[in-house]
Amino acid sequence: MKLTAHELNRMQSVNIGAVSAGTLADVSGMAFDNSLSREERITRFLGRAINPYCFCVGGVGVKIEFAEDGPALQDTLTDFLIRQKKGL
């Protein structure tokens, strides 16, 4: 899944306070296939979440924001997926 800089900027600018959680893609209950590569797991997450910055988990809207000098989106999403798998 290739996203343009314009598409990523649009996704990142979503105001989570103005969005109903019911309108966001719900990623709770996602199953993770550890036989897949890291890239494929992230691709599947992005396919389900639609917006990597703003999605729903168990009825709660979630917005992820990143600092310029913070970790890469890929690393952050991987950590998130691992925590979800562990039930944290």
Side-chain angles (χ1 to χ4, degrees), residues 29-44:
M30 257 185 94
F32 301 99
D33 184 349
N34 289 326
S35 67
L36 299 174
S37 69
R38 177 178 167 178
E39 281 186 27
E40 183 61 27
R41 289 192 305 266
I42 291 172
T43 299
R44 287 186 179 200

Side-chain angles (χ1 to χ4, degrees), residues 14-26 54-57 59-62:
V14 170
N15 178 352
I16 191 69
V19 176
S20 168
T23 64
L24 300 171
D26 192 345
C54 196
F55 46 86
C56 181
V57 178
V60 177
V62 175

